[in-house]
Amino acid sequence: MALRLGIGEIIQLEEAVGAPIAAIFMRIMSQAWGVKDVVETLRLALIGGGMAPPLASATVTRLVQPGWLDWYWPIATEVVHAAVQGAPDDEAGEDEA
């Protein structure tokens, strides 16, 4: 399953955590994140990647538990980084073959 934050998911993430994407990006990158930053990023990235919203919510609720947040934080970091600055292998404006 792909993880992706499109514009719609970014707007929902901003609303869910009460902060603009730039602030979320800075919190996650500087390890000053909150639980909602991680949980909502992952939930919305699953939806953006094509998972049905109820399944995405159930998956995150089941998997992201106390004691495991440090395991999921790096994943949320990669997702937010790709949403803000692009994926490392993604050339902006390049057409797909």
Side-chain angles (χ1 to χ4, degrees), residues 2-97:
L3 296 173
R4 178 184 176 277
L5 289 177
I7 293 298
E9 290 84 24
I10 292 170
I11 291 168
Q12 290 177 56
L13 178 59
E14 290 177 334
E15 291 171 355
V17 303
I21 191 64
I24 299 164
F25 179 73
M26 294 304 296
R27 290 194 307 236
I28 285 185
M29 297 304 289
S30 68
Q31 297 186 28
W33 48 269
V35 173
K36 282 183 83 172
D37 292 330
V38 173
V39 170
E40 291 299 316
T41 295
L42 296 176
R43 182 182 71 79
L44 290 164
L46 286 169
I47 294 168
M51 187 177 281
L55 182 55
S57 294
T59 299
V60 170
T61 298
R62 182 173 47 89
L63 294 177
V64 182
Q65 299 291 322
W68 288 88
L69 291 170
D70 227 21
W71 197 84
Y72 289 102
W73 163 76
I75 299 168
T77 300
E78 292 296 321
V79 169
V80 171
H81 185 269
V84 173
Q85 297 187 335
D89 58 350
D90 184 26
E91 293 295 326
E94 186 175 286
D95 292 332
E96 290 188 27

